[in-house]
Amino acid sequence: MKTIVRNIFTGLLLLGAVIGVNGQFLAASDTSESSVRKYKGIINANKDLVEFIEQLLLQKGLPKHLRNLALIESHFDRNITSGAGAVGIWQLMTAHANQYGLTEQNRTDVYKSTKTAVISLANLYKKYNNWVTVVAAYNCGEGNIAKAMEAAGSTQYHEFSKYLPGETINHVKKYLNACYATGELQSVLSNYNSSRINKIFFEDGNRRVMTAALSETEINAGFNLKVVADELKVDMDKILTWNPGIVEELQKKGESPFYLPVDLMPDFLLRKNKILVRSIKEGASTQQ
């Protein structure tokens, strides 16, 4: 498998080595061909279960790559129990399950446990606005995430992760490795990169966090970003801030994830066909 080099976050993404972020690193510890084969083999051996999980995720509007959380948690083994007492394909602790009305016994029930996990993940995303932090929170709990953010003075995973348990840091690495194996790492990192427009500021000695919640869709190179900005009545600079690297992505691949604030996304989807027609008339999406 060839090495992929891509500018991501504000640093350099070098798969098979490290993911660089502002001089700090999230090590991609194992993107070897054997690791990729292992993950793909587990998914292929559980096709029906994987399709079921993906369907429930899509029904909730969540990305399919979250199936990889069950992959690294349990290898899709519904009968597995961890040393800490987590049970089932989603490795739910009793307290976590009970929080969503799932009984201790039903943690091995694939449908009920998956439904619980999906709701939990959706709630975590509403809170953290990026999947990297969601995976970390799923592993160590929201309390540990809050403490780490407070210690780092930041809501950015690459800054507060050093205050998290080593197990959680390794868990995130495994998730990124699994997403690399399934060809979805770029989407996860693009989502994280977009969430970095979150701002931290201090007022009256109290730290407050202002979060720009973004929603995701897909666009192709037929869309002219200037037309998108004009139709939505927003500055072109904002479009590019919400979607760093999108111009290069559209040039290179002809398609890209596209992020907008949650209050703007419905307008875009309603006008999507109109915007595309106008874009085609006015020129390529790579114009700035």
Side-chain angles (χ1 to χ4, degrees):
M1 181 173 292
K2 65 181 181 179
T3 299
I4 300 171
V5 180
R6 168 185 165 81
N7 286 326
I8 198 71
F9 299 129
T10 57
L12 181 70
L13 167 60
L14 177 58
L15 290 178
V18 293
I19 299 167
V21 188
N22 291 339
Q24 299 184 37
F25 302 94
L26 302 172
S29 57
D30 188 3
T31 54
S32 63
E33 290 188 20
S34 61
S35 177
V36 170
R37 286 197 300 270
K38 179 187 75 173
Y39 282 132
K40 286 184 176 180
I42 295 170
I43 289 174
N44 288 334
N46 294 274
K47 282 185 176 180
D48 291 342
L49 179 54
V50 168
E51 289 178 4
F52 167 74
I53 291 172
E54 291 178 350
Q55 186 61 35
L56 283 188
L57 288 167
L58 291 174
Q59 287 176 6
K60 192 67 177 178
L62 303 184
K64 292 193 295 183
H65 64 70
L66 289 173
R67 132 267 295 152
N68 291 338
L69 189 54
L71 169 63
I72 66 168
E73 290 279 0
S74 66
H75 291 183
F76 304 112
D77 182 351
R78 70 192 69 188
N79 296 313
I80 194 170
T81 300
S82 75
V87 171
I89 62 173
W90 295 98
Q91 288 293 277
L92 294 168
M93 298 292 288
T94 299
H96 188 181
N98 290 344
Q99 182 181 349
Y100 291 92
L102 183 71
T103 65
E104 183 176 358
Q105 293 75 18
N106 281 334
R107 289 180 295 167
T108 57
D109 184 292
V110 172
Y111 173 76
K112 292 179 180 179
S113 65
T114 300
K115 188 175 179 180
T116 295
V118 167
I119 295 172
S120 174
L121 291 167
N123 288 341
L124 289 173
Y125 189 77
K126 289 177 184 177
K127 183 171 184 177
Y128 299 118
N129 197 37
N130 75 82
W131 296 117
V132 172
T133 304
V134 166
V135 171
Y138 189 90
N139 178 261
C140 69
E142 296 171 55
N144 283 322
I145 297 294
K147 292 176 183 177
M149 287 181 175
E150 186 68 30
S154 173
T155 61
Q156 305 305 320
Y157 177 82
H158 65 276
E159 294 179 348
F160 71 73
S161 59
K162 60 186 176 183
Y163 298 101
L164 293 175
E167 176 189 344
T168 299
I169 295 172
N170 287 331
H171 203 66
V172 172
K173 291 177 188 176
K174 288 180 182 179
Y175 190 78
L176 296 177
N177 292 336
C179 288
Y180 173 68
T182 57
E184 296 162 308
L185 178 61
Q186 181 176 296
S187 176
V188 176
L189 297 182
S190 293
N191 167 263
Y192 178 82
N193 195 34
S194 295
S195 77
R196 295 186 65 221
I197 66 176
N198 293 353
K199 299 177 181 178
I200 297 178
F201 68 98
F202 294 82
E203 181 177 87
D204 297 329
N206 295 318
R207 183 165 69 88
R208 297 186 181 182
V209 181
M210 297 298 293
T211 302
L214 299 178
S215 183
E216 179 182 354
T217 186
E218 296 278 338
I219 64 171
N220 59 43
F223 284 86
N224 184 315
L225 298 178
K226 289 183 178 179
V227 172
V228 174
D230 183 62
E231 288 285 340
L232 297 179
K233 295 180 171 54
V234 298
D235 293 337
M236 180 66 175
D237 287 346
K238 289 186 177 180
I239 295 291
L240 296 177
T241 298
W242 295 324
N243 297 274
I246 190 172
V247 173
E248 294 79 7
E249 187 76 10
L250 289 171
Q251 286 178 329
K252 182 179 180 181
K253 293 194 171 182
E255 60 183 9
S256 173
F258 184 58
Y259 299 94
L260 288 171
V262 291
D263 58 338
L264 280 180
M265 185 60 78
D267 290 341
F268 173 75
L269 295 177
L270 285 172
R271 302 182 189 187
K272 191 171 184 179
N273 290 337
K274 176 186 175 182
I275 292 172
L276 180 57
V277 171
R278 182 181 163 190
S279 295
I280 293 172
K281 290 180 180 179
E282 299 189 17
S285 62
T286 54
Q287 295 177 356
Q288 291 189 42

